[in-house]
Amino acid sequence: MFADIILPLAVEGLFTYSLPPALEQEVKEGMLVWVSFAGQKKYAALVCRIHNTPPEGYTVKPIEGISEEHVRFSPDHLRFLMWVAEYYMASPGEVLRAALPVVFRLESVTRIARTEQELAEDEVLPEKEEAMLRALRPGEYIALQELEKYLRIRNGLPYVKSLLNRGLVRIRETVDEAFLEKKEKRVVWARLFTEREKSEILDGLKRAPGQHRLFCRWLEAACESRERKHLLTEAGSAPAVLKALCDKGILAIEEHTVSRFVVEEQEVSEGYPLSAGQQEALGQIRNFFNAGKHVLLQGVTSSGKTEVYIRLIRSLIDEGKQVLYMLPEIALTVQIVKRLKRVFGNRIGVYHSGMSESLRAELWRKQSGDDPYPLVLGVRSSLFLPFRQLGLVIVDEEHDASYKQKEPAPRYQGRDAAVMLAAMHGARVLLGSATPSFETLRNAYTGKYGRVELTQRYGGIEMPELLFADLAEYRRKKLMKGSFSPLLIQKMQQTLEAGYQVILFQNRRGYSTYLQCDRCGSIPKCRRCDVSLTYYKERNVLNCRYCGSLSEPPAVCGVCGQGRYRMRTPGTERIEEEVAALFPGARVARMDLEAMSSRSGFRRVIDDFEQKRIDVLIGTQMVSKGLDFEHVKLVGVMDADSMVHFPDFRAEERAYQMLMQVSGRSGRKGERGTVVIQAADRKNRLYDLLEAGDYAEFYREAMAEREAFSYPPFCRLIRIELRHPENVVLRNAANRLAEMLRKRLGRRVCGPAVPEVGRIGNRYRLILLIKIEEGASFSRIKQFLKESAVSLSADKACSGLRVLFDVDP
């Protein structure tokens, strides 16, 4: 018997291994097994197919064992992984790496031990090899990574190879089990005691007051088992006191396996009553589902889409089905989890990259088991969880760009992949948004999806008042105070005096997005990337937002040697400082990736803002998405132009969506809210359409332009990116590839061109864009692109070239 497997590596295709007789009955399709690859390296690989056809031309290696019995991929799950790989032009191994938590895709670790052989008397080793040899002992294998860390060596392989050639060390490949079940120590009775015996024990402990106090607390608890740490804390006792009671044969300590998931006892509510509009929308959605259609729920901000979701989730769970609820950002899970747990209690599981790897692995195992969560809340990676009875996928804020994976491969679009996942399970998809993506809206207008609208805010609350501050005019009259217009300052003053809260949106981190010399105009740039450095005042560093490199801000200009650097284009850090100066009594907090370094940081800021312990919240796009704060009555957009004029054909669409989303955080309860949008290009059509609240008209105008110039959704795009350390080699390779492609694809090929950032991490970049009209064979063109890239990379003149594909960029 043989098995075709997927290795968790960026290598094309499947690999065939033999099944030893001892494992023939145990290994099943969808299991993770141990295999050797590329010498003695061991990997946890996925079994796709078991058959009895031996491969031709080589001797197969055997499967060495089962890696993880509790993780199984169903046939539908395997089919979904292979579809992601094929559609998004990634290798199956890259998709497997994205699908599995780190602790399940284990790889072997090189371990080193010293041999018994001694150095010759006159033999002298280089310094680092000698240090490595001194750290080793015969028969005691040490992981190479640990050795490198201990000796502070970046790459120890050359030194190991040299010692290996001299016969001074030996190596072996082993695998460390990364997933460990969580253990808990519990205190129990050492044996059964009668009440009389317990009284005698109590009397006998009076001369040992510490043991007496702990035993009294144990008796008061009146339980058969108690968590060790909690018992010691309640009794105020030291571990030695408990040990003494165990040594006397009174109590004992047992180790139990427990779940990492916190089970909270809480009251379960029915949720809020539905309005007439929500009831009608719910009925329409169910009718579309019964007709076999996916549905777009287009509801204005604060219209109560989440309550409609809750009713649908409850009905599906009652039918024994599972529901996947997807969000674009980890930050949103904090509020949504609270809301859903009030309705569904402990029947909800949460999955995202902000969780520990062990917790993610445990949820994976639970979903593979016999008692999975019926409701899973997660971000795009939750698509790869195992589902047995998937009935509904909800994609909230479906327009959001965060659903698109950018790096590394597979570069999949979470919304579109969710539609395919649902189709494979016979489930339905509900796409929710106030400002749907043009692709989704077109599917709704053409009848492919059902479309349901919620046009009124819940409770009859008015949409916020939109005010525009003309920055060009204020600057001309020199009325600006830092980044703030008089209009925004006035509205903030009124809002804070009335006891309400303010959100300020600035989609740039740091103190200043770049520095500029006041004499020669030069801008400090990253040495490894073609991008300006962002200044962070708190840390007093210049930081590259692409490669992460750090450097100290120079005192004088590094080009002319005379000028001083001035701050340009403020980020959230500087906005925070300016707010503190303008409103000294206001309590200010910042929400961006710099300030929110952990999930607990998100939760703390959100809780403080909900409890009105913060007056002004400043943030990047994190504050614009789905958050629900009762006391926010003013939202200020610091610089709308930076989004509108971004060099991308979706820039206007994304800007409109972002501005509508952040505006929707204002006035969600009670009185009507206000939004102040600061913009210098006030004549841009986007602002007039935004002011009118006419998304349909904006859609019609923008779609006419896209159709005229052949852009999605009127065509399909594939972005090909070429990377190489040498610019000349890269340009020659890109021109050759473009010539090869044009021979067959003609005018469908655009480029090569330099992207927005032409060099990242000392690798130059060029892109080609392939436009594929509706009706053309998408799969055949993708196959041709792959073959052309392989042919180009095989040329020695292109050694070191990387070719990356991005489908539907």
Side-chain angles (χ1 to χ4, degrees), residues 327-624:
L327 292 167
E329 294 274 2
I330 294 172
L332 301 186
T333 61
V334 176
Q335 275 196 324
I336 294 293
V337 164
K338 285 183 184 177
R339 192 164 174 183
L340 294 178
K341 280 197 171 182
R342 282 199 294 266
V343 178
F344 298 105
N346 292 306
R347 294 186 293 173
I348 176 174
V350 182
Y351 190 83
H352 56 71
S353 59
M355 302 162 60
S356 70
E357 288 298 334
S358 294
L359 199 57
R360 281 158 59 91
E362 190 153 327
L363 190 136
W364 236 95
R365 294 182 74 178
K366 182 174 176 64
Q367 295 307 102
S368 293
D370 297 326
D371 184 29
Y373 286 115
L375 171 60
V376 174
L377 178 70
V379 290
R380 61 175 181 260
S381 58
S382 58
L383 285 167
F384 296 113
L385 285 168
F387 295 97
R388 292 188 175 185
Q389 296 290 328
L390 187 64
L392 175 65
V393 181
I394 297 170
V395 185
D396 200 13
E397 311 294 356
E398 64 83 29
H399 65 273
D400 200 285
S402 298
Y403 280 119
K404 174 67 176 178
Q405 166 77 3
K406 295 180 176 63
E407 290 288 344
R411 296 169 182 84
Y412 64 99
Q413 164 57 259
R415 176 196 64 223
D416 299 343
V419 173
M420 180 55 68
L421 177 70
M424 290 179 176
H425 285 266
R428 296 287 167 260
V429 178
L430 180 61
L431 305 163
S433 176
T435 51
S437 65
F438 284 6
E439 288 84 356
T440 298
L441 209 48
R442 188 186 186 218
N443 284 332
Y445 283 147
T446 56
K448 184 177 179 180
Y449 294 167
R451 180 168 173 259
V452 178
E453 288 189 278
L454 284 170
T455 57
Q456 299 293 323
R457 280 187 155 190
Y458 185 80
I461 297 168
E462 287 186 86
M463 293 295 289
E465 178 188 15
L466 248 62
L467 303 175
F468 286 86
D470 190 338
L471 294 185
E473 184 68 13
Y474 284 129
R475 285 168 183 160
R476 187 180 66 81
K477 295 179 179 179
K478 298 182 179 180
L479 295 175
M480 295 290 291
K481 290 187 178 180
S483 309
F484 290 79
S485 63
L487 176 61
L488 182 53
I489 292 172
Q490 177 195 348
K491 292 297 180 183
M492 286 182 67
Q493 189 74 49
Q494 293 172 356
T495 303
L496 294 172
E497 286 176 355
Y500 291 114
Q501 294 169 299
V502 178
I503 288 178
L504 297 177
F505 171 64
Q506 172 69 322
N507 207 22
R508 291 188 176 95
R509 286 184 284 153
Y511 189 83
S512 177
T513 52
Y514 67 96
L515 306 180
Q516 189 171 29
C517 175
D518 59 5
R519 188 177 181 91
C520 69
S522 65
I523 297 170
K525 291 189 174 183
C526 176
R527 289 171 294 180
R528 304 175 71 239
C529 312
D530 287 339
V531 66
S532 59
L533 295 169
T534 302
Y535 175 62
Y536 291 86
K537 188 176 181 180
E538 282 183 6
R539 295 183 289 152
N540 192 35
V541 295
L542 291 170
N543 177 222
C544 175
R545 63 182 182 275
Y546 284 93
C547 71
S549 64
L550 300 173
S551 58
E552 290 186 11
V556 295
C557 176
V559 177
C560 68
Q562 298 177 17
R564 301 270 177 181
Y565 286 114
R566 303 293 182 221
M567 309 290 178
R568 304 291 189 226
T569 315
T572 50
E573 198 178 339
R574 184 167 165 188
I575 299 297
E576 183 181 21
E577 184 180 278
E578 291 181 3
V579 170
L582 289 168
F583 305 97
R587 295 163 296 180
V588 186
R590 184 159 46 95
M591 183 185 281
D592 57 30
L593 284 177
E594 181 75 9
M596 306 287 100
S597 57
S598 66
R599 187 165 174 255
S600 60
F602 284 121
R603 188 185 296 112
R604 184 176 61 255
V605 170
I606 288 172
D607 287 346
D608 286 348
F609 200 60
E610 282 181 330
Q611 300 302 318
K612 294 192 71 176
R613 291 191 287 267
I614 296 171
D615 300 313
V616 182
L617 181 62
I618 302 155
T620 53
Q621 56 182 324
M622 291 180 187
V623 301
S624 71

Side-chain angles (χ1 to χ4, degrees), residues 246-357:
C246 294
D247 291 342
K248 291 178 179 179
I250 301 169
L251 300 178
I253 296 175
E254 293 181 352
E255 199 170 62
H256 293 259
T257 300
V258 295
S259 172
R260 287 183 170 86
F261 301 115
V262 178
V263 179
E264 302 171 352
E265 292 198 10
Q266 54 188 28
E267 293 184 11
V268 177
S269 67
E270 291 296 312
Y272 299 103
L274 296 185
S275 66
Q278 288 172 312
Q279 288 281 11
E280 184 180 353
L282 184 61
Q284 291 176 352
I285 291 168
R286 284 176 170 154
N287 290 338
F288 279 124
F289 281 173
N290 291 335
K293 286 191 173 184
H294 303 313
V295 178
L296 165 64
L297 176 59
Q298 185 175 357
V300 298
T301 55
S302 195
S303 59
K305 295 187 289 293
T306 306
E307 285 302 320
V308 176
Y309 300 159
I310 287 172
R311 296 304 194 282
L312 289 167
I313 292 168
R314 183 185 288 124
S315 64
L316 266 292
I317 290 177
D318 290 343
E319 293 173 15
K321 300 286 189 179
Q322 290 176 291
V323 178
L324 172 60
Y325 188 145
M326 291 175 62
L327 292 167
E329 294 274 2
I330 294 172
L332 301 186
T333 61
V334 176
Q335 275 196 324
I336 294 293
V337 164
K338 285 183 184 177
R339 192 164 174 183
L340 294 178
K341 280 197 171 182
R342 282 199 294 266
V343 178
F344 298 105
N346 292 306
R347 294 186 293 173
I348 176 174
V350 182
Y351 190 83
H352 56 71
S353 59
M355 302 162 60
S356 70
E357 288 298 334

Side-chain angles (χ1 to χ4, degrees), residues 90-111:
S91 68
E94 288 172 320
V95 181
L96 182 61
R97 289 184 74 85
L100 283 174
V102 171
V103 296
F104 289 153
R105 46 182 169 88
L106 301 178
E107 300 174 7
S108 62
V109 179
T110 300
R111 293 182 176 273

